[in-house]
Each structure stands twice: as structure tokens, then as C-alpha cells.
Amino acid sequence: MPLSAVASAREILVNLHDVMAARRPAQAKLNAVVDIIGEALDSEVCSIYLLREGVLELFATRGLALEAVHVTKLALGEGLVGTIAQHGEILNLDEAASHPDFAYKPETGEDRYHSFAGVPIIRRERSVGVLAVQHADPRKYADVEIEALQTVAMVLSELIANAGLIDAGGPKDRVQSTASIRISGQKLVDGMAAGCAVFHQPRIVIEHTVAEDIEAERHRVYAAFDKMREQIDRIAREAEFGVGDEHQEVIATYKMFAYDEGWARRINEAIDSGLTAEAAIERVQQRTRQRMRQIDDPLLADRMHDLEDLANRLLRIVSGQMGTAAQMGLRQDTILVARNLGPAELLEYDRRRLKGVILEEGSLTAHVTIVARAMGVPVLGRVRDVRRLIGEGDLLLLDVTEGSVLVRPSASMEEAFDANLIARQKRKAAYAALRDVAPETKDGHRVTVMVNAGLRDDVAALDLTGADGIGLFRTEFQFLVSATLPQRERQQRLYKEVLDAAGDRPVVFRTVDIGGDKALPYLDHGVEEENPAMGWRALRLALERDGLMKAQARALLEAGAGRTLNVMFPMVSEAWEFDEAKALFEKQRAWLAGRGKRLPAEVRYGAMLEVPSLAYQLDLLLPNVQFLSVGTNDLTQFLFAADRANPKLAERYDWLSCSILRFLHGVVGPARDAGVPIAVCGEMGGRPLEAMALIGIGIDRLSITPAAVGPIKAMLRTLDRAALTAFMTDLLRAPPRDMRGALATWAADHGVELA
């Protein structure tokens, strides 16, 4: 029969507490544990597998053949048990044999059991074993039963560690070499920095999991919550003096998590089941990590990271282990190393000595990345096994531009790094000197160079780079950093401040591109998507949720009062979608006019060409648009059917392929004939060689990252556009296999600056 929630879980823990306190050999205790769990879950089989010498060994069982104990062994990744241990994930199956990883071990006699549920036994953030139950009848175990198994697994980790039954530490827990190595990662915040490795926080090992006095544990958690909230309030107040308004929204969202009653309630429920305060926090945190593994959407996962960061803070408070590196103080130039960070954690560090950050996780949209960018701190993310590869105090040379970090560099490596840093600073100075120079080719062709933006603070890049305007303002960013849907007034205020800061330079506002792989926790459209990048997102979602789009239309129209307003719709796949979106805006314009509201002097409408199907409806689209922008990031993955986030497909994701250039060339002609300006806004336009190829096929408007403006201007000043156009015509007519190589050779032969 199924568990009766908390009461049954507590009963199991009370019985386990008696077992653990008894003076009996560890093996006898484990034998008793499987009987207790099997009885409570009315499960015919309960088994414990432990990791010994890198192999999972059946250590105790109720229901399987006893002669299989200490005989049945599974490698990590082998069978259902090996899969659970390798990935740290839960399996709950009504028919075990149907799972692709199922492996039958005849000596166990498990062939008569159909259902299977297993949870990892975690110790110091790594799997050290598996707790599994089985039943003859096909059935899935209830959520409350799975949660009870996870709670028991936590208690088991303490028992087996104290008994010395599992591998101690292992290679993943310590640095194995003193040699110099280069580690790669994802570029999150650009820059170079040198400093000594400092780990953000020491591991907190929970030694006692079963509570003696539940009410005392509850009071400890209440006190810890009060202290944590005081800390977050203080950080939020102090952040006002160093971070812009968007980043205040990040902190405000983070603060909302700290006051989330649902989170506190889940920790209380774990205490009710019989866990100590520390174990209850860790138990809920494990559940959060499990959910994170199941979340494909990186933005929702980022918000789960915020919650995990707060859980770490709460755990340190309740355990009395308050010593993060920030609180102990940085004594020298530091590269901070962490699995992940919350924005408040980062703001606690001394900015004079914090030179860079390395994260095992992290993403471009994570809150910590946003705040780090505002602080000017380089960040390298997705660096695996940092605790194995980097030791506390190691000298690190961080080069996010190259996407790597040098660990324990030799003297020659340090010299090369310093030389590279000096050269990069000189190039940066040279690019800065081009700020007031027009982006013009050697033969006098003027190219429009604009920047991409998503924050109010990004508008400052116009003056710093001398860009012609903002060719893509991603309005969804305000939605992504907010805990709730931004009200129309907040949207309007942001858009007006951006327009004011841009002055007479144009700003192209792209309407919200959310949904799909940019899911918002407060906007659920109730559909599980296997391929969210090609799912219910952007204009598709906005036309369905027209209330959201109407609010944004009014905010943009009122913000643009008396000016020229440029509005662009994302992911248009058919011409009628553009027509419908434009009609919605025009209806809102008429509604505002009827109420005497001041309106833009002119509204110019454009479409993003990201979906290849739109290229075959240009005759229907071009008569109705004032401009067209090609989003090369999505366009390329759709053309190649190659997920741009998949590293295995990285070599095939080449913007200088014949297919991409021919496709773009086929779009340029009709747009030019229709008198519709066409721009490229994407990473492709910000790379000198790729930008050169775009100029050669007739594109003369680019919208790129601010850091790329200088290099693109330098390239244009050395380029003969007429000669390039003739070369590109021949190249596309008879393309070589290596288009990139052919273009690079031409550039070198004609003195085009690509550095």
C-alpha cells in the first residue's frame, strides 16, 4: 500500500535511527534497513548497491537471491542501477525491462519483478550507491514513496560513510597533477584576467541527518531564514550604488525567492519527516538539482540556480559554517571558482581584487552573468571538473575571449599571456580611436554599423563605439529577469529611457521573443516541446497571447511619442503573421489616438528573416515592410538542421558555407529591387571575415555586439568592395569545398585587416 506521506516517512526514519544507534556490524545494519524500507513501501524487493573500487556492488537485499549479495556487480552506466549512479538521477518504471538501459542479472532472480524505482545515494555531491525497490505487479511508485526513498538514501549516506563501506574521495575530489593545463569553457563575459584560484565556498558535509527534536530543528531553520533574508535585504540596498536598474530587477527577483513561502514549506515538511535542519535543506536542494537536470530550458534552469544559491546560503547559516571566500576576504588578485553563483553572492566580493570568475555551470542568461557584465568581471562558464583540475591557490590565466583558462602556467606561458594582454589592449585602443571614423570601405562605400542591445545600460555603447544606432533591442530581456510579467508602465519607461539615451540615432525594438527555449516560469503554455527552438515561441506565442502583445504595443507607441519608432517582429515564418502583428499594432495606435495620446511621428515595421520558409514569400512580404533583418543564428541552425548548442555539430555550423551565402544572396536581390533595406543582426556580422563575405554579397547594414564594432570598422577601411563583389560572384557560381579558406586567402592577398 502507498505511504501516508510525512508520517510514514518519519516512521521509517525512527526505525532507521534505532538501527544506526545499535551496536551491530554495518552489514547487519544494511540488512535491517532493506527490511524496514520494503515493509514500509509494501515492496517485495528492496536492495542497496554501494560503489566500491569504481564498481556498484549489491550489498544488501530483501527479495532478491541472497547468494547474489557481494556477487552481483555493475559498472557505472550499466543497467538501471548503473544509470542512476552515473547520472545521479531517479528512475521510476512500471515495466523495468522496457527501459533501454535494462540489464538482466540471472543470479539475482529478479526476472519475476516488473516495477522498479531507484534513487542515488549521494555523498559530497557524488553518487556513492543506489537504493532500489521492485514489485512483481507493474506499477509506478507514488511521488511520496520516491521522496521517502530519497530521504532514506540521505540517511544511508551517513551510515555507509561512517562504516567505511564506500570509496573514500576518489579522483574527482582532488587535484591529481601539478602540471600546466588549459581548460576550455563557454564565453559568458568577455575579458582577460590573472589571479590565484579561490573556491567560493568549502563543502558543507552533513554529518547528522536524523533529528532528535523536530521542534528544535524547526526553530533553527526559522532563525536561519530570518538571518538569510536580512543578508539579502542588505545586499539589495548596497547594490543600488553600483549596478544599473536592470540589475536591480535581477536582485529583486532573487529577493523574491528568499521570501518564497513554498520553498520554506518544503523544508518544513522534510523536517516533519524526521530530518535535521541541515539534512532537510539538503534534501530539498537535491530535489531542486534533480528538477534542474530535467529542465531543457536554460532560463528556467537559471532561476533554479538562484534557488540553489539561496539554499547554500541557508545551509551555511544553519550549520554555523559561514566562511565563504567573500566573508573571509580576498587577500590578492583572485579568480573565483564555483559550481555556480547567485547574483547576491557575487556582489559580496571585493571588486578591487576579484579579477574573474570560473563556473562549472552558468549560462549567458544567468542572473550572475548579467551582474558580472555590469561589474566588468570576466566569466568563463561550463568548465567541467574544476575541483579535480584546479587547486586552491593555483595561478590562473583567464582568457574568456579564447574561451579558456591556463592552470599553473609556466613562465613562458605567463610571458605569452602578458604579451597577448598588451597586444589586445593596444588593439582595443586602436579600435577606440576609430570611434568617430565612418564605417566606410576603401573605395568609398558607406556601411551602416549598429549594435545589439537588451539593457538600458547597453545604450552607452553607442557613444563608446560610434555606432550608427541600435539595430536590435531585445525587449524580452526585461521579461526574463522579472519574477512576474512586467507591467505596461514598466515596459514603457524602459523603452522611453532607451530612446532618450540614443538621441537622434535609430533604435529597432524587436518584440518579445519568449517561449520555446526561453520559457518564463510565470507564462506556461502547457505544451512539452522536444525541440523548443522550433516551437511555440516569439511571434507565434505573441499572436496567441495577444494581451501580452497589445500591452507591449501600447508601451512602445507611447514611449515613441513624437519620434520615429522602429518595430521588428521575430521569427516570422509566413507573410500573414507579419500582417497580423502589424494590424495589432495599428489597432492599438488607433485606440491611443482616440484617447488623445501623443503618438510617434512615424512607425516603421520590419520582420526578422530567421525561418527559411519566409524567403519564399518575399513577394508577399516586401510590399508591406519598411526593413528586413536576417537573424543568422537561428537561420543557420534551421537551414542545416543543426542545433547550434550541440558541440558535435559545431564544425557543420559554418556561416561561410556555400548554402548560407547563396541563401542570403538570394534574399538580397529581391529586397534591393523592392527598395527595402536589409540588415544582418547576429554573431555572423560581428566577425571580420564573415562580415567581409556579407559585404561582398550586397549586405551593407550590420547589427553586432559593441565589442565587434572596432574590428569591423578596421576591416572595412582596408576593403575594396568592388573587387570583393566580383570575387564573391565567381565564388558563389563555382564554390570551392573550403569557402572559409578561399575567403581568408583573398583577404590576405588584398591586405584586408581581419585581426
Side-chain angles (χ1 to χ4, degrees):
M1 64 182 188
L3 276 172
S4 59
V6 172
S8 296
R10 184 189 300 163
E11 184 181 342
I12 293 175
L13 286 194
V14 168
N15 290 333
L16 285 183
H17 182 268
D18 294 339
V19 168
M20 293 169 68
R23 288 176 164 251
R24 299 162 69 184
Q27 181 67 59
K29 290 182 179 182
L30 291 179
N31 293 341
V33 166
V34 293
D35 283 335
I36 290 169
I37 299 168
E39 195 72 40
L41 270 66
D42 191 26
S43 198
E44 293 160 308
V45 175
C46 179
S47 305
I48 296 171
Y49 295 80
L50 300 183
L51 189 66
R52 301 269 291 178
E53 298 179 358
V55 176
L56 290 157
E57 181 179 322
L58 177 61
F59 244 77
T61 187
R62 157 196 160 114
L64 298 184
L66 291 178
E67 53 267 28
V69 173
H70 302 303
V71 173
T72 296
K73 296 181 180 180
L74 294 157
L76 286 172
E78 180 185 2
L80 302 180
V81 169
T83 298
I84 291 168
Q86 183 176 50
H87 300 294
E89 63 182 17
I90 298 164
L91 286 181
N92 185 6
L93 309 168
D94 51 9
E95 190 58 70
S98 65
H99 193 281
D101 293 325
F102 176 78
Y104 174 56
K105 294 291 183 178
E107 71 272 12
T108 64
E110 64 181 333
D111 51 318
R112 62 182 181 275
Y113 302 109
H114 292 269
S115 62
F116 174 94
V119 300
I121 301 171
I122 306 293
R123 180 73 173 172
R124 298 187 180 183
E125 299 181 17
R126 69 186 186 106
S127 296
V128 296
V130 172
L131 173 62
V133 290
Q134 294 171 263
H135 204 276
D137 295 330
R139 75 168 179 100
K140 281 206 170 185
Y141 287 81
D143 288 346
V144 68
E145 295 175 290
I146 297 298
E147 289 191 20
L149 284 176
Q150 289 181 286
T151 301
V152 171
M154 174 179 284
V155 177
L156 276 177
S157 71
E158 180 184 335
L159 187 156
I160 61 182
N162 292 340
L165 295 177
I166 52 175
D167 295 342
K172 291 188 80 172
D173 282 347
R174 61 182 184 272
V175 175
Q176 295 290 299
S177 171
T178 57
S180 300
I181 56 170
R182 182 187 298 273
I183 313 173
S184 297
Q186 183 185 13
K187 306 172 188 177
L188 298 183
V189 180
D190 203 14
M192 294 178 70
C196 290
V198 171
F199 283 90
H200 169 57
Q201 62 186 50
R203 281 197 182 95
I204 295 175
V205 180
I206 299 170
E207 300 297 347
H208 301 292
T209 54
V210 180
E212 298 285 349
D213 183 339
I214 285 176
E215 285 308 311
E217 299 302 319
R218 196 186 321 282
H219 286 303
R220 291 176 65 214
V221 163
Y222 286 156
F225 261 103
D226 288 342
K227 189 167 185 178
M228 179 194 70
R229 288 164 177 168
E230 286 174 12
Q231 291 179 358
I232 300 304
D233 289 343
R234 174 181 53 78
I235 290 166
R237 286 194 304 272
E238 293 175 356
E240 293 175 10
F241 300 102
V243 188
D245 286 347
E246 271 86 8
H247 313 103
Q248 280 298 309
E249 291 176 5
V250 168
I251 299 300
T253 302
Y254 184 82
K255 187 175 173 180
M256 287 186 71
F257 279 121
Y259 283 86
D260 178 28
E261 291 303 323
W263 178 42
R265 186 183 65 251
R266 289 191 293 274
I267 293 173
N268 250 318
E269 288 171 354
I271 290 174
D272 284 339
S273 73
L275 293 176
T276 61
E278 291 90 343
I281 296 165
E282 175 64 19
R283 171 69 191 83
V284 173
Q285 195 173 10
Q286 284 182 5
R287 185 179 177 186
T288 300
R289 292 189 193 115
Q290 183 65 32
R291 288 182 64 194
M292 284 166 58
R293 292 189 189 99
Q294 297 167 351
I295 294 172
D296 293 328
D297 169 31
L299 295 162
L300 192 53
D302 290 337
R303 280 143 189 78
M304 299 297 281
H305 283 312
D306 284 353
L307 192 55
E308 179 160 6
D309 170 56
L310 284 165
N312 288 333
R313 181 181 291 268
L314 189 65
L315 189 56
R316 288 197 300 274
I317 293 169
V318 83
S319 66
Q321 301 179 49
M322 296 294 294
T324 66
Q327 288 153 344
M328 290 186 289
L330 303 180
R331 295 175 176 82
Q332 57 193 327
D333 286 353
T334 295
I335 305 294
L336 191 66
V337 181
R339 185 172 72 193
N340 215 323
L341 283 171
E345 298 277 357
L346 187 64
L347 286 167
E348 287 185 310
Y349 281 92
D350 181 348
R351 300 186 198 183
R352 295 168 301 174
R353 289 179 170 166
L354 180 63
K355 300 301 179 182
V357 175
I358 296 172
L359 299 175
E360 279 191 85
E361 298 174 356
S363 74
L364 284 166
T365 52
H367 285 170
V368 69
T369 304
I370 298 160
V371 173
R373 190 179 297 120
M375 293 169 65
V377 176
V379 182
L380 185 68
R382 301 287 174 183
V383 182
R384 294 185 176 184
D385 293 338
V386 288
R387 284 190 178 270
R388 181 172 64 84
L389 300 172
I390 298 175
E392 188 91 23
D394 281 345
L395 177 61
L396 305 178
L397 303 180
L398 179 63
D399 188 345
V400 181
T401 306
E402 295 296 324
S404 66
V405 58
L406 279 168
V407 184
R408 300 175 294 275
S410 64
S412 60
M413 289 175 176
E414 286 190 65
E415 289 177 13
F417 181 86
D418 290 341
N420 190 11
L421 181 59
I422 292 169
R424 197 168 296 179
Q425 288 170 339
K426 285 182 178 177
R427 281 201 302 273
K428 196 172 179 180
Y431 296 147
L434 296 175
R435 184 188 66 180
D436 299 322
V437 174
E440 201 170 85
T441 63
K442 198 163 64 171
D443 53 340
H445 182 78
R446 178 66 157 83
V447 176
T448 301
V449 177
M450 307 175 86
V451 293
N452 300 330
L455 298 169
R456 184 189 294 102
D457 292 353
D458 290 345
V459 184
L462 291 177
D463 292 328
L464 292 172
T465 63
D468 293 313
I470 296 174
L472 170 64
F473 189 90
R474 300 180 178 94
T475 61
E476 65 269 12
F477 191 83
Q478 188 180 35
F479 291 73
L480 299 176
V481 300
S482 297
T484 57
L485 189 71
Q487 295 300 308
R488 179 178 57 81
E489 292 77 10
R490 268 182 63 202
Q491 294 182 51
Q492 180 184 335
R493 187 165 61 249
L494 170 64
Y495 305 149
K496 185 177 185 304
E497 288 174 358
V498 169
L499 288 166
D500 287 344
D504 58 357
R505 291 162 294 196
V507 178
V508 177
F509 291 99
R510 184 178 72 183
T511 59
V512 286
D513 182 356
I514 54 177
D517 59 347
K518 297 180 191 169
L520 301 177
Y522 54 79
L523 196 67
D524 181 19
H525 61 278
V527 178
E528 287 288 328
E529 297 186 306
E530 291 188 13
N531 195 337
M534 293 193 287
W536 204 247
R537 55 171 276 215
L539 191 58
R540 297 166 180 174
L541 183 148
L543 289 175
E544 179 195 47
R545 301 287 184 96
D546 63 352
L548 182 153
M549 197 170 187
K550 286 175 182 175
Q552 184 172 39
R554 286 176 57 190
L556 283 165
L557 289 163
E558 291 189 76
R563 320 176 201 244
T564 296
L565 177 67
N566 298 287
V567 177
M568 179 166 65
F569 303 119
M571 207 174 175
V572 180
S573 52
E574 296 191 73
W576 69 262
E577 292 176 325
F578 171 85
D579 295 339
E580 196 168 311
K582 180 179 175 181
L584 185 149
F585 261 74
E586 285 298 301
K587 191 172 182 180
Q588 292 305 302
R589 180 152 66 152
W591 186 89
L592 290 170
R595 281 152 182 78
K597 297 286 187 179
R598 190 161 172 251
L599 294 171
E602 179 187 7
V603 182
R604 301 177 70 248
Y605 294 101
M608 285 202 76
L609 198 163
E610 304 166 275
V611 183
S613 63
L614 189 62
Y616 301 97
Q617 294 194 17
L618 291 179
D619 58 324
L620 304 176
L621 178 73
L622 290 172
N624 299 318
V625 297
Q626 279 75 52
F627 61 94
L628 198 63
S629 289
V630 181
T632 51
N633 293 359
D634 270 337
L635 174 67
T636 307
Q637 71 170 341
F638 295 155
L639 271 176
F640 281 128
D643 182 353
R644 55 193 165 111
N646 187 335
K648 290 185 177 181
L649 297 173
E651 291 184 7
R652 300 190 181 191
Y653 186 67
D654 189 355
W655 283 305
L656 293 181
S657 73
C658 172
S659 302
I660 294 292
L661 293 175
R662 279 184 168 178
F663 181 92
L664 293 173
H665 187 257
V667 172
V668 168
R672 183 176 52 234
D673 294 344
V676 174
I678 181 169
V680 163
C681 53
E683 201 176 335
M684 180 180 183
R687 300 185 176 194
L689 186 62
E690 282 84 341
M692 184 190 83
L694 292 172
I695 302 300
I697 61 174
I699 289 174
D700 55 12
R701 298 173 68 86
L702 304 172
S703 187
I704 57 183
T705 61
V709 172
I712 295 302
K713 281 187 176 183
M715 180 273 292
L716 289 171
R717 286 165 55 80
T718 59
L719 178 66
D720 184 325
R721 178 176 176 268
L724 174 63
T725 302
F727 172 71
M728 287 297 298
T729 301
D730 293 338
L731 202 65
L732 292 181
R733 187 181 297 118
R737 182 171 181 177
D738 183 9
M739 290 282 280
R740 181 174 292 278
L743 284 161
T745 299
W746 187 91
D749 291 345
H750 290 77
V752 180
E753 183 178 329
L754 297 177

